[in-house]
Amino acid sequence: QVQLQESGPGLVKPSDTLSLTCTVSGGSISPYYWSWIRQSPGKGLEWIGYIYYGGSTNYNPSLKSRVSISVDTSKNQFSLKLNSVTAADTAVYYCARYQQYFQHWGPGTLVTVSS
Amino acid sequence: EIVLTQSPGTLSLFPGERAILSCRASQSVSSSYLAWYQQKPGQPPRLLIYGASSRATDIPDRFSGSGSGTDFTLTISRLEPEDFAVYYCQQYGDSPRTFGQGTKVEIQ
């Protein structure tokens, strides 16, 4: 059974870059797609983007100018970077296996943007 | 982008009753590419239904999905205590992938 675990700082300062990593265990990161989703009280569930194990990506246009997702197959990990964050980026961030829908999710990690 | 509107916002029911949840899309969802999730406090969403009507692995048959085009329904035939939660729909027929705002099913 594949398991996912998010990791990274829980507090980020405004205008800084939010960086999170998702570690996949119980299975290989290939040949699948992997995604980041966030959830905030104000905006609900929001799909951020996905990456194929080979490296191709697709991002939500609402975040495209600030987001980057990368993959490290040797570590069975993929990562999220979101730059120029504001308080509106405060949310629980989830990583998930993407099959157009999302069957396997990490437990989520709360990231707060505050000085 | 496709906007998904779920109704009602909250559904207050007794255990054993039937729950009917609605998800309406702002434009047609191609090939019935619609999924339903259940979320409990402090947990990630759990996939229930994909392809509008196919149950995910290990999902009890009291959960069923139906619909096409712009109107979709999740039915829980007989509510069990563990079914009281928030339910979300999600479309994957168009990019960006989008979610509804959720329906809370609470114990009356």
Side-chain angles (χ1 to χ4, degrees), chain A residues 50-68:
Chain A
Y50 67 69
I51 188 165
Y52 188 47
Y53 81 100
S56 59
T57 56
N58 188 12
Y59 301 130
N60 191 321
S62 68
L63 297 167
K64 189 173 184 177
S65 63
R66 298 193 293 130
V67 71
S68 175

Side-chain angles (χ1 to χ4, degrees), chain A residues 48-99:
Chain A
I48 298 171
Y50 67 69
I51 188 165
Y52 188 47
Y53 81 100
S56 59
T57 56
N58 188 12
Y59 301 130
N60 191 321
S62 68
L63 297 167
K64 189 173 184 177
S65 63
R66 298 193 293 130
V67 71
S68 175
I69 300 176
S70 59
V71 65
D72 186 337
T73 55
S74 67
K75 295 182 179 178
N76 240 32
Q77 293 177 335
F78 62 104
S79 298
L80 169 70
K81 290 189 185 303
L82 182 66
N83 58 35
S84 305
V85 298
T86 69
D89 296 309
T90 294
V92 175
Y93 285 76
Y94 296 101
C95 59
R97 197 169 89 181
Y98 174 71
Q99 299 158 245

